[in-house]
Each structure stands twice: as C-alpha cells, then as structure tokens.
C-alpha cells in the first residue's frame, strides 16, 4: 500500500469515527506502526541470565548520583560509608522501579476504561491497545528486575497504593484529567532515567538495559498523551479549561511526590534523620530544582494548551515546579550537574 492509499484509507475510516483531525489521525497511525515495527519483549530482548548482567549487591554503581537523585545530593548521604550508600541506593532504585510498575497498572486501568467507549474505526482505540501492551511488558520487565535486585521493597506509599484502583477507574470517566495524570506520572520517571543515561552515570548493566528499553517506548506514550490533550482540550468549555489549568500543576506536583518520594519504611530501615528526608524530598533549594526540572516539557505543553493564566502561574510557583520551558521535546536540562 502506498502512502497515498494509506491516507485515503484513513480518510474513509474517518467518516465512521468523525471529530479527529487528519493530522492527529496520521500521528496515531505513525505511533501504531512504530509499536509494530519497533517494540521490545522483556524475555526476548533482555538476556536476564547473562553473567555479564548479573547484579552484585555490593556493586558501587548502586550509589546514588549527587547531581540527579535528591537524596544523593544531600551532604548526609555523601558522608555515609560506601557500603551504606550502596545499600540505600540499591533499595531506592528497586523501590522506584516497583513504583513505576505500579503506576503502569493505574494507566492501564484508565486507558482500558476509556477505550471501551470509543466508536468503531477509532484510531485511538488501536494505539491505546498498543500502549497498554507495551505497558504490560514494562510491568513484567520492572518486576523481574526488582526480583533480581533481591530487595523486598513495598513500592508505592500506602495511601496511594490503596487509592490506585479507584484513581484508574475515575480517570476513565474524566479522560482529559486521565491524560494529564499520565503525563504527571510518566514525566518524572522519564526525566530521571534520561538524566542518568544522558550524563553517563554508572549503573549496573541490567538496570541500564531496562532503562534504555523503557525510555525508547515511553517516548511514544508521552508523545501520544501530549497530542491527545492538544486534540481534545480545545473542545472543552471555558470553565473546564480553567479547571484543567489548575489541575495540571497540581497533578504534576502530586504525582511527582508520590512517585519519586520513598515510603517511610526507607527512612526507618536506614536510620535516615527526619531532617535529611525533608531536605531531600523536597525542602532544599537543590531538591526543588531537581523536581522543577522534571517538568520543563510540561510547562511548554501547558503554554501550548493555553493553560498558563495568572492563577495557574501562581500555582506553578507556589508548588515549587515553575521554571524554564523546554524549547523542544526532551531538551537536556543543563542544570543537572549544578549540584
């Protein structure tokens, strides 16, 4: 089939599922084809039993980066003996991976609820199913990695874990809010992992491989979420858009805190002083700078969506997540090593 024939087929299907622009439909087709042509399987594309990828509990590469991790940036952590820094880094990495897997289950619940109401021939239906398939693979990949790290971590903080099934269900009804929440959860994880790889932070090779796969496929998911909002939000009424302008920064800050802040068990296990936890999550200037950096792309998107108004700008500042706008998707944050 030629590109022209494919475009004709897209236009023909549009008559049965109206309301989406040709540009958006082409983007969905490109993403769907990308999911078919370039995808990863957790048990085919990772050689889990390769001795070169074996995880060593004493590997110094578990030490948290002082430039990228908010706990690693604290003087208290840097002053600890090497074996303590390794143990804390290993636990934190394992728990962050477990949290990522749990967040993917919320995303899947919301998307599955959303697609059941879509009409026949909807291109969103096909891509959402591709995305959910990839997220299921990510959950398997993340859980396998946690199992092999060998630390019995809890993942999400208790209140968020208990609420997670209801969050996914509610998102299926409020689909614009669902996609804002998807970005609020995916962006901090994506930014953190990209920063580690972009700045050649030494990681255990198996952890690095999992991050590489996740980043590659997450690029499609984040692209879809942004274009989904660009397509659907202009159809909303003025009051709904005003509400979203407030919900957008609130969701970013709330989900970043839930995903990137470890549960209390972490501090108890390693006798981390309360003052250090507060400094790292998120009271110090450096930790607030790290959190702000998670959302450079999201501030640009909020601008594009018309969600930056006097009220919402004050809210971004008040929540400590204002800052620069990325000039292009994924622009590196030059502040990453400004410890």
């Amino acid at each position: 089939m030629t590109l022209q024939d494919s475009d004709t087929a897209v236009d023909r299907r549009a008559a049965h599922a109206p309301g989406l622009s040709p540009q958006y439909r082409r983007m969905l087709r490109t993403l769907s084809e990308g999911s078919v042509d370039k995808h990863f399987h957790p048990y085919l594309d990772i050689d889990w039993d390769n001795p070169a990828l074996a995880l060593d509990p004493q590997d110094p590469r578990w030490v948290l980066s002082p430039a990228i991790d908010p706990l690693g940036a604290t003087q208290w952590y840097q002053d600890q003996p090497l074996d303590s820094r390794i143990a804390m880094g290993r636990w934190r990495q394992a728990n962050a991976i477990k949290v990522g897997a749990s967040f993917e289950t919320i995303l899947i619940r919301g998307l599955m609820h959303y697609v059941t109401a879509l009409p026949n021939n909807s291109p969103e239906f096909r891509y959402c199913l591709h995305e959910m398939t990839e997220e299921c693979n990510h959950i398997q990949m993340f859980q396998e990695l946690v199992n092999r790290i060998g630390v019995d971590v809890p993942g999400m903080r208790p209140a968020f874990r208990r609420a997670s099934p209801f969050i996914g269900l509610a998102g299926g009804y409020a689909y614009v809010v669902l996609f804002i929440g998807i970005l609020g959860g995916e962006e901090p994880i994506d930014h953190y992992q990209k920063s580690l790889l972009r700045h050649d932070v030494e990681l255990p090779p198996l952890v690095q491989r999992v991050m590489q796969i996740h980043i590659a496929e997450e690029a499609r998911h984040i692209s879809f979420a942004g274009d989904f909002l660009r397509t659907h939000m202009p159809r909303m009424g003025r009051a709904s858009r005003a509400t979203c302008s407030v919900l957008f920064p609130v969701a970013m800050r709330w989900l970043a805190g839930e995903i990137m802040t470890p549960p209390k068990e972490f501090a108890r296990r390693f006798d981390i002083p309360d003052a250090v936890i507060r400094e790292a999550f998120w009271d110090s200037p450096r930790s607030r700078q790290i959190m702000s950096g998670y959302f450079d792309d999201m501030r640009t998107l909020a601008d594009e969506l018309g969600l930056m108004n006097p009220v919402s700008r004050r809210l971004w500042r008040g929540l400590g997540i204002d800052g620069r706008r990325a000039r292009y998707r994924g622009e590196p944050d030059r502040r990453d090593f400004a410890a």
Side-chain angles (χ1 to χ4, degrees), residues 113 165-175 178:
H113 190 182
F166 306 101
I167 294 170
L169 177 64
Y173 289 105
Y175 55 85
L178 169 66

Side-chain angles (χ1 to χ4, degrees), residues 153-175:
V153 291
M156 289 180 172
R157 295 190 289 182
F160 192 66
R161 184 167 60 248
R162 288 192 294 269
S164 63
F166 306 101
I167 294 170
L169 177 64
Y173 289 105
Y175 55 85

Side-chain angles (χ1 to χ4, degrees), residues 176 180 228-229 231-236 241 244 305 307:
V176 167
I180 290 173
F228 182 96
L229 293 177
T231 295
H232 289 276
M233 194 165 286
R235 304 175 182 185
M236 301 172 69
R241 289 198 302 273
C244 284
L305 295 172
L307 300 181

Side-chain angles (χ1 to χ4, degrees), residues 107-307:
L107 183 155
I108 291 169
R109 288 187 185 104
L111 283 183
M112 187 59 75
H113 190 182
Y114 173 68
V115 300
T116 58
L118 291 175
N120 295 330
N121 293 298
S122 169
E124 287 183 342
F125 182 93
R126 176 183 171 182
Y127 182 70
C128 284
L129 266 293
H130 282 307
E131 179 166 333
M132 284 186 274
T133 299
E134 290 167 357
E135 299 294 20
C136 284
N137 284 337
H138 294 173
I139 293 168
Q140 284 187 303
M141 178 174 70
F142 286 161
Q143 187 59 55
E144 184 69 26
L145 180 57
V146 169
N147 294 344
R148 287 172 182 262
I149 291 173
V151 181
D152 188 21
V153 291
M156 289 180 172
R157 295 190 289 182
F160 192 66
R161 184 167 60 248
R162 288 192 294 269
S164 63
F166 306 101
I167 294 170
L169 177 64
Y173 289 105
Y175 55 85
V176 167
V177 177
L178 169 66
F179 278 84
I180 290 173
I182 286 172
L183 288 170
E186 288 182 335
E187 278 291 329
I189 298 171
D190 187 65
H191 180 92
Y192 181 79
Q193 292 180 345
K194 279 181 179 176
S195 295
L196 290 171
L197 299 185
R198 183 174 280 151
H199 295 296
D200 296 323
V201 174
E202 285 195 290
L203 299 165
L206 187 58
V207 175
Q208 181 170 313
R209 178 60 178 150
V210 166
M211 286 186 181
Q212 288 169 337
I213 289 174
H214 186 246
I215 288 169
E217 292 191 327
E218 210 65 15
R220 285 194 291 262
H221 305 172
I222 292 174
S223 176
F224 170 53
D227 281 324
F228 182 96
L229 293 177
R230 291 185 188 97
T231 295
H232 289 276
M233 194 165 286
R235 304 175 182 185
M236 301 172 69
R238 181 178 297 179
S240 295
R241 289 198 302 273
T243 301
C244 284
S245 74
V246 172
L247 287 176
F248 200 101
V250 170
M252 298 298 119
R253 176 60 184 85
W254 171 51
L255 289 167
E258 291 293 345
I259 288 169
M260 303 305 292
T261 305
K264 290 182 179 179
E265 181 179 329
F266 180 56
R268 290 195 298 266
R269 183 181 181 91
F270 295 103
D271 294 321
I272 304 174
D274 290 344
V276 173
I277 291 294
R278 289 194 298 271
E279 175 188 353
F281 309 103
W282 303 85
D283 283 357
S284 72
R286 177 56 185 152
S287 65
R288 289 196 295 270
Q289 183 186 55
I290 289 172
M291 176 176 277
S292 172
Y294 296 154
F295 299 118
D296 294 352
D297 290 329
M298 293 300 94
R299 288 187 290 270
T300 300
L301 178 62
D303 262 338
E304 293 175 6
L305 295 172
L307 300 181

